Amino acid sequence: MTDQLSEYVRNQFPALKREFNGQPVAYLDGPGGYQVPESVIAAVKHYLIDMNANVGNQFETAQNTSSMIQDARDIFAEFFNCSWDEVVFGANMTTLNFALAQALARRLTSGDTVLITEMDHEANRGPWLQLQDRGIEVAEVAVDIGTCSLDMGDLRSKLSKKPKVVAVNYASNGVGTISDIQKIIQLSHEVGAITVVDAVHYAAHGPVDVKKLDADFLLCSAYKFFGPHIGVMFAKKEELSRLSPLNLRTQHQSPPFMIETGTLHHEGIAGAAAAVEFIADIGLKAGNDHDGSPGDLKSSRRNQIIDGLRAFEKHELALTDYFIEAITSKIPKATVYGPARGHPRTSTVSFTYEGYNANQVAKYLGNRGLFVWGGHFYAIRLVERLGLLDRGGLVRIGISPYNTKAELVRVIDALGKEDELQKFVKRKTS
Ligand SMILES: Cc1ncc(COP(=O)(O)O)c(C=O)c1O
């Protein structure tokens, strides 16, 4: 993004005006959830003022609600590159994944295997691990802890057990590694497995193309990319049609409705659609960045979404390079955990700081208006495999499109002042 576009992006986020302890807040907690632009706030407000009703066709606001949800499905179809009836809305990714696991389990029999990974967030492990109660075997693909990436050799060997389901994340919310998800899906299909991809972390950082990936199910959460707190799932129509999810007889029995239970989070859906439109709008503006010509208004919204995410990615990865270089060279007590240089990654950088646990470091930074998370971020197995679970986990810096180099310089400066960190920790414990 040009400086001008970066400034435009920042100006869209009212939350960035917040100060804490006399310092502007730097939201470096993106992998936990993004701030939202004014247009998303406006869409939620507009829904609640002008459309608030249950779905139906008997009066105006009910009709408007139905068409708003249909429009949102169309927008997410472009986001995923699928058709509208493959877009499922839910409370959050975890709840959708539990419903999916329960539905898929009705097709499995005792002795069948489900393959999960050590890299995944618990939201893509727990729903599968609990199937062990029904006699389903759950195997895990190992993480190569030296490179914080999936051990592809171990994946191939575990696939030889012919699992019925392979549940895997696109990118790690713990350390930022992007996995070769297309290859994993292809290998899984070769042994007849259905694939369930957790794209919650990835979806904020790059375009998802379910057609190209040939994914069966892929889940994400709108609050990780500028939207409200809802979950969204792509479900391949042939696969969804074969499921018999647990639901009420009032539920439509056709895709995508059959796996949605009860009244949806209408205002959340309105905001989520606006979040994708925000990305597309940046894509349109970033057209200027690429070749000096104005963004092509005729290009499809899908192309605008891709351009927007690519523009964000470029901005984020430049800052990531700066941050990794600075922390490695200037903070000798910090150890960065993540993929090897050159391996595909997101802008999420995690580290430990010798002598202090992650919670202490995160609170110290938070006290300076640098909002970052410390702990395991529910990537519990990964953090355990790194040998850090009993030691407080990792400090995580999530770099988002509205973050700046100046904010990261503040983080490096703060980390460089160990005496102040020590004083802060002493004060808190005395
Ligand atoms: C990679 C990943 N998967 C799944 C989840 C769970 O998402 P949700 O909060 O929508 O259930 C998260 C949340 O942090 C995540 O980062």
Side-chain angles (χ1 to χ4, degrees):
M1 291 193 288
T2 56
D3 290 351
Q4 205 185 359
L5 189 54
S6 295
E7 202 183 316
Y8 171 83
V9 168
R10 276 184 70 79
N11 285 337
Q12 304 313 303
F13 293 84
L16 301 189
K17 295 195 178 77
R18 176 176 286 275
E19 294 197 346
F20 184 76
N21 278 346
Q23 302 268 13
V25 168
Y27 291 96
L28 293 159
D29 60 337
Y34 272 16
Q35 298 307 312
V36 297
E38 197 79 70
S39 58
V40 168
I41 299 166
V44 172
K45 189 171 166 189
H46 174 50
Y47 175 77
L48 290 171
I49 293 174
D50 295 318
M51 287 180 243
N52 193 16
N54 219 319
V55 287
N57 63 12
Q58 295 181 343
F59 54 90
E60 191 196 25
T61 49
Q63 287 160 6
N64 290 347
T65 292
S66 297
S67 42
M68 180 280 290
I69 295 175
Q70 182 57 49
D71 288 349
R73 288 196 209 275
D74 291 340
I75 287 171
F76 272 94
E78 292 179 86
F79 183 76
F80 290 129
N81 196 22
C82 66
S83 87
W84 72 267
D85 50 1
E86 298 179 308
V87 175
V88 177
F89 293 118
N92 48 53
M93 178 276 183
T94 308
T95 307
L96 282 169
N97 209 24
F98 265 111
L100 178 61
Q102 291 302 313
L104 278 167
R106 294 174 101 184
R107 290 211 330 242
L108 304 182
T109 50
S110 181
D112 282 346
T113 302
V114 171
L115 189 54
I116 61 173
T117 87
E118 289 184 342
M119 185 100 104
D120 273 76
H121 186 285
E122 282 303 301
N124 203 25
R125 290 170 47 85
W128 309 107
L129 283 166
Q130 66 152 16
L131 301 183
Q132 291 174 121
D133 294 351
R134 305 188 192 182
I136 310 295
E137 284 177 27
V138 179
E140 294 188 43
V141 180
V143 163
D144 172 344
I145 54 168
T147 58
C148 287
S149 57
L150 283 179
D151 179 338
M152 292 298 277
D154 192 49
L155 170 82
R156 284 172 202 272
S157 112
K158 302 255 163 74
L159 283 175
S160 66
K161 283 185 165 184
K162 296 203 184 313
K164 291 285 191 312
V165 178
V166 174
V168 58
N169 74 7
Y170 203 142
S172 161
N173 67 310
V175 290
T177 312
I178 297 177
S179 294
D180 187 349
I181 207 71
Q182 190 166 355
K183 185 83 198 158
I184 295 171
I185 291 172
Q186 181 214 319
L187 294 171
S188 304
H189 284 169
E190 279 169 17
V191 300
I194 289 169
T195 50
V196 178
V197 179
D198 172 358
V200 171
H201 184 59
Y202 179 78
H205 300 286
V208 172
D209 187 337
V210 292
K211 252 191 213 133
K212 186 164 167 224
L213 296 176
D214 195 21
D216 299 312
F217 297 94
L218 181 143
L219 301 98
C220 60
S221 310
Y223 73 93
K224 306 285 190 184
F225 49 87
F226 314 112
H229 293 88
I230 66 159
V232 193
M233 172 166 73
F234 155 77
K236 195 189 266 175
K237 203 157 37 174
E238 304 90 271
E239 293 301 338
L240 185 54
S241 310
R242 289 175 64 210
L243 295 185
S244 39
L246 299 169
N247 60 23
L248 310 177
R249 73 177 192 181
T250 48
Q251 215 70 37
H252 283 288
Q253 293 305 318
S254 57
F257 315 104
M258 55 198 274
I259 198 163
E260 292 174 339
T261 42
T263 304
L264 295 174
H265 182 11
H266 299 168
E267 55 274 33
I269 293 171
V276 177
E277 280 174 335
F278 171 74
I279 296 170
D281 180 50
I282 300 303
L284 195 57
K285 293 185 165 58
N288 290 312
D289 272 12
H290 301 153
D291 54 11
S293 62
D296 179 2
L297 284 167
K298 290 196 208 85
S299 78
S300 72
R301 186 161 50 190
R302 166 94 189 139
N303 285 341
Q304 292 166 13
I305 293 166
I306 293 172
D307 280 355
L309 287 164
R310 290 282 178 234
F312 290 150
E313 188 185 37
K314 212 167 140 196
H315 172 81
E316 292 166 4
L317 290 181
L319 294 183
T320 305
D321 280 351
Y322 160 73
F323 186 73
I324 293 179
E325 207 283 312
I327 194 168
T328 312
S329 59
K330 295 187 179 154
I331 316 292
K333 289 201 169 171
T335 305
V336 174
Y337 291 78
R341 213 182 159 74
H343 185 99
R345 66 166 307 138
T346 69
S347 50
T348 294
V349 184
S350 293
F351 64 92
T352 53
Y353 194 112
E354 195 188 320
Y356 303 87
N357 68 40
N359 181 47
Q360 291 169 328
V361 178
K363 281 188 173 153
Y364 163 72
L365 294 175
N367 194 49
R368 295 171 163 247
L370 301 164
F371 289 6
V372 312
W373 285 112
H376 55 56
F377 332 110
Y378 304 102
I380 299 178
R381 184 71 182 123
L382 170 67
V383 172
E384 185 175 46
R385 280 296 321 281
L386 293 174
L388 298 172
L389 197 56
D390 301 335
R391 292 161 50 203
L394 293 155
V395 184
R396 182 176 69 179
I397 306 291
I399 301 169
S400 306
Y402 45 74
N403 290 128
T404 62
K405 183 168 172 193
E407 292 174 333
L408 297 173
V409 170
R410 280 172 62 198
V411 174
I412 297 293
D413 281 354
L415 293 174
K417 293 179 177 140
E418 196 194 340
D419 50 333
E420 297 204 11
L421 169 60
Q422 200 174 45
K423 258 193 270 164
F424 177 83
V425 170
K426 264 205 187 125
R427 222 176 32 239
K428 289 282 157 192
T429 45
S430 62

